[in-house]
Amino acid sequence: MSEPTIRSPIASGSNPWHRFFRGVLDRLTIGMSMGGVIMMFGILLLIFAVLLNGAWMAIGHIGWKFFTTSTWNPVPGMDKYGVLAFAYGTAVTTLIALLLAVPLSIGCAVFITRIAPQWLAGPVSFLVELLAAIPSVVYGLWGAFVMSPWLQTHFEMWMWKALRNIKWIPVGHYPGHRTEYFPANLVHGGPSGSDFLAGGLILTIMILPIITAITRDVLQQFPEELEQGAYGLGATWWQTTRLALTYCRVGIFGAAVLGMARAIGETMAVVMVIGNTDRISSSLFAGGQTMAGVFVNEFLEADHPIYLSAMMYVALTLLVSALLTNLAARVLLNRIAPA
Amino acid sequence: MILADTSTDISQKAHGAGTHGLSGTVPVTTSATAARQAVEVQNLEVFYGQHRAVHNVNLKINHREVTAFIGPSGCGKSTILRCFNRMNDLVKHCRVQGTVKIHGADIYARGTDVMELRKRTGMVFQKPNPFPKSIHENVAYPLRIHGVRGKAVIAEKVERSLRLAGLWDEVKDRLHASALSLSGGQQQRLCIARAIAVDPDVLLMDEPCSALDPIATKTIESLINELSKTITIVVVTHNMHQAVRVAHQTAFFYMGNLVETGPTDKIFHNPVQHQTLAYVTGQFG
Amino acid sequence: MFKAFHKFLMVAAPAALLAIGTVGTSRAVEISGAGSTFVAPIMYKWIKIFQKSHPNIKVDYEAIGSGGGINGLIGKTINFCGSDAYMSNAQIQQAGGAVLHMPEVAGPEVMSYNLPMVHKQLVMNGKLIADIYLGEVTRWNDPAIKKLNPGVKLPDLPILVAHRSDGSGTTFIFTGYLCKVSPTWKKQVGQSTSVNWPVGRGGKGNPGVAALIEKTRGGLGYLEYAYAITGHFPVARLINKDGYAIQPSMPSVIAAQKAVVENLPADLRLHIINPSGKKAYPISGFTYLIIDRDLGYMSKAKAKATLEFIHWILTKGQKYAKTMQYIRLGPAMQKKVLAQLAKATWKGQHLSY
């Protein structure tokens, strides 16, 4: 017998074709991932470019006044466009939604992960995810035909009766009215059911599932050792839960940001309940409009050039403010991240 | 079944051998010096669902001594340890029968304040588990949850605990750095500092060195010796040499039974039971 | 290897399917239209019935909104456009300068209200509606309303004014009516698919407005007739130009068509707003089919099919209007529209259909 041939351990056992394909696959996967990233940037840039191009005429004609005025008059010849009222509507409804949805979602997630017995946690979890799958137009119709009348006759009526005569802090006045006071101003005008509050509430319901689902997932990541550690020191259930929430704060914050993004961008459901007027009011019972809302309402029938361009300007404003809020959230996130 | 029967027998004998003739007539008191026995276990049985994990264990643990629980994996030593601060309450389908008295008080009696019990029986776990907070906040945490207020008071107690745990000199300049920046051994000593911050009577240690390197292990072991002057310590260990090094008393468990208990020296050099002999000489485990 | 095959499937299979599809329908002429959502329900019915008798023509209609339809016509991406608003002069210029507007059905607009305690049908006039929408009349027991409804016990309730929030032909017609009956409205607000409403809240689409009206006692809003009739919403009788209180209905809208037909502009761009006549209802609009006057941008077969389809709608298709709650063209009107259709050419030549 001749002396045994020694094959390189690297080469052994792999036929050249396999090696070739493996290399191709690697490169293909890397290429595709990079392609995806480039495409995403490309699409974002493209959207930005298209909106900027479309809005160019309005930017030239309206300029900065777009951000400082709140009249929206698209009648040909009258043409006055200001985004302020819509920006205000977006901000107020999103704020209401976050203020209500974040604590509620955390409660829900804590219930699912830390309170409910196994047989209940599963179905509740499923239900929450089901809520996320309901199309927004369904929420809108439900909001308009069920929630809004109920709000008007019950909740808002109750709130109105409770707050209308409480006058703590003077906050200026509505045109043509006496001085308004906080918190009585919040219910100025009386219950209507189609207002900022309704818009905020429908958004609350819509962003609840996503914040709950993510918070639940991050809470499940809370390490068993830390849980045991806290209990071992004599912590109560609530103290341990607080520790878990602190531990998961970055994830929960991220969930809230996602919820916020959805709230800012939501169209149909809000449009069905917010009352659709271009006015700014400190009353929660006043009708309003959001940036996304005016877009879905009027874009299709924007029938003359400056009107269409102003719509594009609204879209551009929406895009930029969404980017800015996300950026701000990112900065904040880095600050609360554990050392 | 046979084993279970004999084990009852054995444990009765071991019981006699391991204690110093004092019966369980310790007055119900929380005063540390009044009792010879810090922990007294009577007819302890633990079930996980239908499975019986601990069989009729009777055991006394001496005050201000180190007692080691040894035995192969799954012998129930950790389960018994976790009965002492009722951590088993957190385990679903876990049921405990019998009596566990700490300084004469039955901790499974109705109306027992479990949070208070756990404050008085600190626990250190297998894997160092500092909270993702600063070093200072880790030690301050048990103080805060047990209602200690005042910055100065807390700072003083934190320093004292860290000194007791032999960590102070290493961390005094970076008390507000994250606890996760410490090495594994330091983290474990931090966990000990955290557990002793609220002055427990008993310190339960569940394989405290199993995740540490030999040098860190040595530090912890000397710390155990040091602490045992003021605190009763029960340490579960896989490492028989560790038991020899740190423990005054040793209890050997096998398949949920307490096989034998007594002074460490006797268990390792002159055990009564052949199972103990086989284990300590490395024939199984 | 497997991946490659998979890739092949992904690319090749749809292509193959596409090929089969093309073969299967290659004989049929496909024409497409887009625009008005208002006309969509009857349009789909027309298409369904039309294709039974014309298997060689395949019609596709997309309800993307009147504005979208007009843009499609300007961009020559569709064969015909459905629109509730007629095209402005500027739009006609953009589309090449010559288009044909053909009213296909009429739709009245009704004033619907929510006053469950009032059992008698209310009567309103144009000035009152304008004043309410201007915010000058704010309560139901206002003397202006009482004067028009003697003997009706009107509640002391605020009027919750509802309007469309989305840009729509309905709003275009409604605000056109208000401009006609109120100089103040014309000066302050004007006519458009969306306007800067002085008061009230907006609802999206007919359902949105209906929800606003239904929800609150004292609600008032304008709805499309078909929607209001189907939903059994209470509607007001409106006092027309000659002082008659008119119920919105098929006869009153056909009467309104009759009233305007003699004075129609040559291009038929007109809504039936405030016509005179004993029986004419004051607010209705036409919804239009709009095509290029010369269909040279499409194939001859498509041009022929388009004209054939439109002709069918204007003649045989009219009888389906009633069941769908639209108002058919009156005979005089129909004649005018067919004359309009006859002007259509393909590369300068008249086609038979």
Side-chain angles (χ1 to χ4, degrees), chain B residues 71-97:
Chain B
S73 296
C75 68
K77 56 191 190 296
S78 275
T79 302
I80 294 168
L81 190 78
R82 279 157 188 265
C83 287
F84 297 174
N85 63 350
R86 290 187 55 173
M87 285 296 274
N88 286 333
D89 291 12
L90 303 172
V91 181
K92 264 177 209 158
H93 311 299
C94 176
R95 195 156 49 83
V96 177
Q97 281 177 11

Side-chain angles (χ1 to χ4, degrees), chain B residues 3 9 23 46 68 83 111 141 161 167 172 178 181 236 249 261 280:
Chain B
L3 196 66
D9 204 19
S23 64
V46 184
C83 287
Y141 183 79
S161 306
L167 198 58
K172 65 179 179 221
S178 168
S181 66
V236 167
Q249 304 284 329
T261 175
V280 300

Side-chain angles (χ1 to χ4, degrees), chain A residues 17 58 71 88 111 120 145 154 164 213 217 229 237 274 296 301 311 332:
Chain A
W17 275 108
T71 307
Y88 177 79
F111 177 80
L120 191 60
F145 285 97
H154 292 82
R164 66 181 156 166
D217 291 351
W237 175 85
I274 198 171
V296 74
E301 300 290 340
M311 299 290 335
L332 224 67

Side-chain angles (χ1 to χ4, degrees), chain A residues 21 25 71-76 78 141 144-145 148-149 152 192-195 268 271-272 275-279 285-287 289 296-298 300-301 303-304 307, chain C residues 3 64-68 91 163 165-168 186-204 207-208 211-212 214-216 227:
Chain A
F21 272 118
L25 259 181
T71 307
W72 186 263
N73 189 345
V75 177
M78 298 190 176
L141 286 174
F145 285 97
S148 175
Q152 187 185 22
S192 73
S194 302
D195 46 33
M268 226 41 180
V271 156
M272 294 303 285
N276 301 297
T277 68
D278 58 347
R279 264 163 241 136
F285 292 178
Q289 181 64 285
V296 74
N297 262 320
E298 299 186 15
L300 275 183
E301 300 290 340
D303 52 7
H304 52 287
Y307 187 12
Chain C
K3 276 232 154 113
I64 57 172
S66 299
Q91 285 170 334
H163 56 76
S165 64
D166 49 333
S168 80
K186 190 169 182 179
K187 199 168 127 254
Q188 285 183 6
V189 187
Q191 178 184 19
S192 185
T193 51
S194 294
V195 298
N196 186 27
W197 298 96
V199 292
R201 308 230 166 166
K204 185 160 165 50
L212 283 173
E214 271 212 301
K215 199 180 61 180
T216 315
Y227 189 86

Side-chain angles (χ1 to χ4, degrees), chain C residues 260-273:
Chain C
V260 295
V261 75
E262 291 315 319
N263 305 318
L264 275 179
D267 57 11
L268 303 187
R269 286 194 293 160
L270 182 82
H271 286 303
I272 323 166
I273 286 165

Side-chain angles (χ1 to χ4, degrees), chain A residues 104-129:
Chain A
L104 263 172
S105 303
I106 292 176
C108 243
V110 165
F111 177 80
I112 292 168
T113 52
R114 304 182 60 86
I115 300 176
Q118 201 87 47
W119 61 266
L120 191 60
V124 170
S125 220
F126 176 74
L127 214 71
V128 166
E129 268 154 31

